[in-house]
Amino acid sequence: AGDVMKKRLTRTAAAVAALVLLFSSLTTVRALDLSAEHAILMDAGSGRVLYEKNADARSLIASTTKIMTALVVCEQCNVLDRVRIMPEAVGIEGSSMYLQAGEILTVQELLYGLMLQSGNDAAVALAIYCGGTVEGFAQLMNDEARRLGLTGTHFENPNGLDNENHYSTARDLAKLTAYALENEVFSKTVSTKSIQVGDRSLTNHNKLLWRYEGADGVKTGYTKAAGRILVSSATRDGRQLIAVTINAPDDWNDHTRLLDYGFQQFEPRCLVQAGQCLGQLDVLSGDGATVDLIAAEDFSYPVAQGEQVETRFPGPGFVYAPVLAGEEAGMAHVLLDGVPVGKIPVVWGESVATPTEPEEPNWLERILGGKK
C-alpha cells in the first residue's frame, strides 16, 4: 500500500509541477545607480523586463518619437521612392538636415536624415509623403500605437516637439523598439554610424555605437522640457537588449550600466527541450494507468542565477481514454518564481486505449455453454 501511495503522490506532483530547475548560486540583484528619472531594460527576444524604474509614468519623449515615425514609414512606404520636398517641410525648428524646397531625396535618404541627424524637417517631409498631412500621419502613428498595445502613448507630431498631448513611457518605448528592430530597413538605418547623402555628411548622434561593444541602435532625444532621452540596443552572441532612459543627465553611462547588467546577470537558457517528458497524468477508463506529457518544442528564456523555473499543467490532473501518442495534449505553462512567462505545446507520449468490452456469446454458444 505504501508503494502505491508513493507512486500516486509522485504522479500528482508531476502533473502540478513537472519541472523544477533551481540554480544553486544565488545572485543578489544590485540596485543600479542611474541618473534617469524613468528607465527600463528589456530582453528583445523574449520581452522579459530585466530592470525598471518608474517605467509606466507618462513623459515627454522628444526625438525618440522618431522611432515610431520611422517604423510607420518603413511599413507603409517603399524606401526607393523619390520624394520632392514640400515648402512645409523646410525650416522646421530644432535639429535639422537642412532640406531645401523642391529638392528630391529617396525615402531611405530621408530616413537617414531622420534617425542619424534627428532632422525635424525630415520627419515632416516623410509625414507629408506618407500620411498626406502631418495630422494625417500622426493618426497613423496612433493607430500603430494602439495595434502594438502601447497604452501609455499618444502622438501629435512626427518629430517630438513638445506638446502636452504628445507622450509615452519607458515601457512603451522599449516595446515599440523591440518590434521596430524586427524590420530590416529600420534596423539597418539606426545601426548606421555615418553616411553620405548627396553633399550631406550625416553622423549618428548615438555615441554608444562607438563606445559600447555590440551597440546597434537606436535614437537620442532632447528638449529643455523633456530632458535627455535615449533608447539604445546592443547585441552579443545573438542576444539583443533594449535600454530606455528618460530625463537622464548622465544617459551614456546609465545605458552602459544597464546593458552591462543585462548581459552579465542574465543568461538565456533552454529551460525545456522538445521531446522532454514534463510529467504524467492519470488515465481514467483506460488500459494504462498513466500517460507521459511530452514537450513539443524548445523553450528558452533569460534567467538569473537563483531563479526557480517550473512547468504546470492546468486542468483536473487526469485524462479520459482513449489517448493517441503524438496528438496535442494542450499547453504547459512555464513559470519563473511563480510568475507565468510562457507556454509550451505538449503531446501525449503514448497511446492508451479504452478497455475492450467482453463480447456477448451468441445463442449457439449459450446452448453449448459459452465461448471456449
Side-chain angles (χ1 to χ4, degrees), residues 237-272:
D237 298 323
R239 179 183 176 212
Q240 189 168 39
L241 301 183
I242 295 166
V244 180
T245 55
I246 297 176
N247 193 15
D250 193 20
D251 51 4
W252 305 120
N253 286 325
D254 281 359
H255 280 247
T256 296
R257 294 186 187 101
L258 283 165
L259 294 168
D260 281 350
Y261 171 75
F263 285 122
Q264 293 169 7
Q265 299 297 322
F266 294 84
E267 179 183 357
R269 292 178 180 258
C270 183
L271 303 180
V272 177

Side-chain angles (χ1 to χ4, degrees), residues 15-223:
V16 174
L19 174 67
V20 175
L21 299 175
L22 183 60
F23 303 107
S24 57
S25 301
L26 298 178
T27 297
T28 302
V29 177
R30 56 184 174 85
L32 292 175
D33 182 19
L34 302 179
S35 71
E37 183 179 357
H38 315 284
I40 197 167
L41 177 68
M42 178 183 289
D43 180 88
S46 66
R48 182 180 182 184
V49 173
L50 309 180
Y51 175 89
E52 61 180 284
K53 175 185 178 183
N54 303 325
D56 294 310
R58 294 180 178 180
S59 307
L60 298 172
I61 58 171
S63 284
T64 57
T65 295
K66 292 163 184 166
I67 296 171
M68 178 63 89
T69 303
L71 172 62
V72 172
V73 170
C74 286
E75 289 188 335
Q76 301 207 14
C77 300
N78 187 326
V79 295
L80 299 180
D81 284 356
R82 293 164 60 81
V83 180
R84 183 178 295 277
I85 304 304
M86 305 294 288
E88 298 92 324
V90 175
I92 307 299
E93 67 175 293
S95 54
S96 179
M97 68 177 296
Y98 303 103
L99 294 173
Q100 301 296 318
E103 71 172 312
I104 297 175
L105 289 85
T106 67
V107 169
Q108 179 65 79
E109 289 172 333
L110 287 170
L111 283 171
Y112 284 128
L114 179 77
M115 301 306 281
L116 277 66
Q117 196 76 10
S118 200
N120 291 339
D121 50 357
V124 173
L126 287 166
I128 293 173
Y129 179 75
C130 186
T133 63
V134 168
E135 294 76 18
F137 187 79
Q139 185 60 53
L140 295 178
M141 298 170 74
N142 288 318
D143 290 345
E144 184 79 348
R146 281 191 293 272
R147 188 178 73 83
L148 296 177
L150 309 183
T151 57
T153 297
H154 187 266
F155 297 103
E156 287 288 318
N157 59 64
N159 43 39
L161 293 176
D162 295 335
N163 185 304
E164 64 179 8
N165 293 319
H166 188 101
Y167 52 79
S168 189
T169 69
R171 191 183 311 278
D172 278 3
L173 284 176
K175 291 166 63 177
L176 167 63
T177 301
Y179 177 80
L181 285 168
E182 295 178 5
N183 184 290
E184 291 184 8
V185 173
F186 179 95
S187 180
K188 173 189 173 184
T189 302
V190 300
S191 64
T192 299
K193 292 181 178 180
S194 60
I195 197 166
Q196 194 75 20
V197 174
D199 59 357
R200 296 176 176 91
S201 297
L202 306 181
T203 300
N204 202 315
H205 291 180
N206 181 6
K207 295 179 181 179
L208 289 177
L209 293 176
W210 288 267
R211 295 182 179 182
Y212 193 83
E213 179 188 350
D216 49 16
V218 175
K219 190 69 189 75
T220 60
Y222 172 79
T223 66

